[in-house]
């Protein structure tokens, strides 16, 4: 069974093909072409954390593909009342064609996938957010062409998005600079395992020099709400401002997975400015995940 728990579940070749397919599916959608490869198929969507983009994009994807989806929150399911993951996985996967999960521990999606009889998609865990990277890579490709050999700078927390950028650097062949405050670096084992060219910094200005893409994310992720104040102090020098963007290449793009906090991790003038492609990036969640759903459907 092929699952999509991290970007490493697909080969580099498959990922690049998937991005091309996402661009095709986007054009087909804009041309009002009806394409229903998931007719009568069902996607179960397990959300243990909040979501706007991920939920709307997967639900829309399934409707446009001729199928349907079921939104499952822990407030309403037995999973939320402690039914074992392996039992839930066996039961849910016996009735649907694909499962998408957003949760806390990465091990939970691994365990669910192990007991599932249908493909499982990681829609964000504490450790990874691979679906967002599909959209980010599509967006870069649409604006600038291939990302291979380019330099990307990650600014801020060494979090789930940062870890998926580390995987993407290896799979798509770009150089990745990572600027974090001391103590907020990405996980050492994920850095150590990576075959990508990674450079770790504790200064934003040094890291962004000669970058083609600058990316950031919130200072406190879902589940870290009580650390907000402490993190505001730790990350005070890690805002992506116009001054920071000026160190990057002139044609550098700015991305953010959203939701964003203007005045914290990014200045309003940057996220709402000319180099920002965040709205295309958000829309591309739909097209990239359609390509992913189609891929998993055809390859299982
Ligand atoms: N970027 C992202 O995954 O957004 P949501 O939390 O709104 O799904
Ligand atoms: N790092 C953020 C991403 C949200 C899409 C979080 O996990 O909350």
């Amino acid at each position: 069974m092929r699952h999509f728990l991290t970007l490493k579940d697909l080969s580099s070749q498959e990922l690049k093909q998937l991005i091309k397919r996402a661009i095709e599916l986007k054009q087909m959608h804009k041309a009002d072409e009806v394409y229903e490869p998931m007719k009568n198929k069902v996607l179960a969507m397990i959300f243990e954390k909040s979501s706007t983009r991920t939920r709307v994009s997967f639900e829309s994807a399934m409707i446009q593909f001729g199928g349907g989806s079921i939104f499952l929150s822990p407030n309403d399911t037995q999973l939320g009342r402690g039914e074992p993951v392996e039992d839930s996985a066996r039961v849910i996967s016996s009735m649907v064609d694909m499962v998408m999960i957003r949760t806390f521990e990465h091990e939970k999606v691994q365990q669910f996938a192990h007991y599932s009889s249908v493909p499982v998609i990681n829609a964000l865990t504490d450790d990874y957010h691979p679906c967002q990277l599909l959209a980010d890579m599509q967006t870069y490709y649409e604006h600038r062409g291939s990302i291979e050999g380019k330099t990307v700078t990650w600014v801020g927390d060494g979090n789930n998005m940062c870890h998926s950028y580390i995987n993407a650097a290896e799979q798509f062949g770009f150089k990745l600079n990572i600027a974090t405050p001391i103590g907020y670096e990405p996980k050492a084992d994920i850095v150590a395992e990576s075959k990508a060219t990674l450079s770790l910094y504790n200064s934003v200005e040094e890291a962004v020099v000669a970058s083609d893409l600058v990316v950031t994310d919130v200072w406190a992720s879902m589940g870290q709400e009580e650390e907000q104040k402490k993190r505001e102090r730790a990350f005070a020098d890690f805002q992506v401002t116009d001054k920071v963007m000026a160190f990057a290449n002139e044609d550098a793009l700015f991305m953010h997975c959203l939701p964003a906090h203007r005045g914290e991790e990014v200045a309003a003038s940057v996220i709402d400015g000319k180099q920002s492609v965040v709205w295309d990036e958000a829309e591309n969640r739909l097209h990239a995940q359609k390509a992913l759903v189609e891929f998993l459907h055809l390859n299982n």
Side-chain angles (χ1 to χ4, degrees):
M1 184 59 57
R2 305 279 309 263
H3 301 289
F4 186 65
L5 307 189
T6 75
L7 288 173
K8 294 190 149 191
D9 287 335
L10 268 65
S11 70
S12 168
Q13 200 48 44
E14 285 171 334
L15 285 170
K16 288 173 194 164
Q17 182 51 41
L18 196 146
I19 300 305
K20 285 203 183 118
R21 182 62 179 154
I23 294 170
E24 263 170 34
L25 289 167
K26 182 174 183 173
Q27 285 159 356
M28 284 159 64
H29 179 65
K30 304 269 177 204
D32 278 335
E33 202 174 309
V34 176
Y35 175 58
E36 300 187 324
M38 298 299 283
K39 200 163 173 62
N40 296 324
K41 304 288 180 197
V42 178
L43 172 73
M45 307 197 306
I46 301 171
F47 277 99
E48 300 194 329
K49 287 175 175 172
S50 302
S51 170
T52 296
R53 280 144 288 269
T54 305
R55 180 177 176 181
V56 174
S57 54
F58 271 112
E59 283 198 24
S60 300
M62 287 307 291
I63 293 170
Q64 292 166 16
F65 268 180
S69 60
I70 304 171
F71 175 78
L72 299 162
S73 94
N75 301 332
D76 312 303
T77 57
Q78 300 292 6
L79 190 57
R81 292 181 61 247
E83 183 169 9
V85 174
E86 51 268 43
D87 294 2
S88 304
R90 286 188 182 103
V91 172
I92 295 170
S93 69
S94 73
M95 300 183 206
V96 305
D97 304 282
M98 218 171 273
V99 179
M100 181 237 82
I101 310 178
R102 167 168 286 197
T103 189
F104 294 85
E105 313 81 22
H106 188 70
E107 294 68 32
K108 200 167 184 173
V109 296
Q110 289 175 323
Q111 200 185 0
F112 196 108
H114 184 74
Y115 290 95
S116 170
S117 55
V118 300
V120 174
I121 297 169
N122 173 8
L124 184 148
T125 61
D126 289 344
D127 289 344
Y128 296 101
H129 194 5
C131 290
Q132 182 68 51
L133 263 291
L134 298 179
D136 288 21
M137 293 301 100
Q138 180 187 345
T139 308
Y140 190 88
Y141 192 90
E142 286 175 340
H143 283 268
R144 295 283 185 268
S146 172
I147 199 163
E148 198 170 334
K150 302 283 183 183
T151 301
V152 177
T153 298
W154 174 265
V155 179
D157 194 13
N159 63 11
N160 44 10
M161 277 295 299
C162 179
H163 294 152
S164 283
Y165 259 94
I166 292 173
N167 288 348
E170 184 174 328
Q171 297 286 57
F172 290 90
F174 58 82
K175 183 174 174 292
L176 182 62
N177 298 337
I178 300 171
T180 69
I182 294 167
Y184 293 92
E185 292 85 3
K187 285 189 172 177
D189 54 329
I190 296 175
V191 172
E193 275 166 22
S194 176
K195 295 189 194 79
T197 309
L198 307 177
S199 308
L200 271 59
Y201 298 83
N202 296 121
S203 146
V204 183
E205 277 84 357
E206 271 179 57
V208 294
V209 171
S211 291
D212 301 293
L213 169 63
V214 179
V215 196
T216 192
D217 187 13
V218 291
W219 291 341
S221 285
M222 290 182 277
Q224 299 174 329
E225 287 77 8
E226 53 315 337
E227 293 179 34
Q228 177 68 30
K229 286 281 159 250
K230 179 179 139 204
R231 282 171 171 266
E232 276 173 24
R233 288 191 293 276
F235 286 85
D237 294 333
F238 287 79
Q239 185 183 107
V240 180
T241 57
D242 290 305
K243 186 169 159 245
V244 166
M245 288 304 289
F247 284 96
N249 287 340
E250 218 175 313
D251 67 345
L253 298 175
F254 171 78
M255 290 192 200
H256 188 311
C257 63
L258 306 177
H261 298 77
R262 288 169 177 77
E264 289 185 26
E265 73 274 8
V266 61
S269 55
V270 172
I271 195 168
D272 299 319
K274 282 206 296 285
Q275 286 166 284
S276 171
V277 289
V278 297
W279 311 122
D280 289 340
E281 183 188 1
E283 180 192 324
N284 283 339
R285 293 293 304 279
L286 170 67
H287 311 296
Q289 286 157 205
K290 282 170 91 169
L292 174 65
V293 166
E294 184 191 49
F295 175 90
L296 292 173
H297 178 60
L298 294 176
N299 287 280
N300 278 296

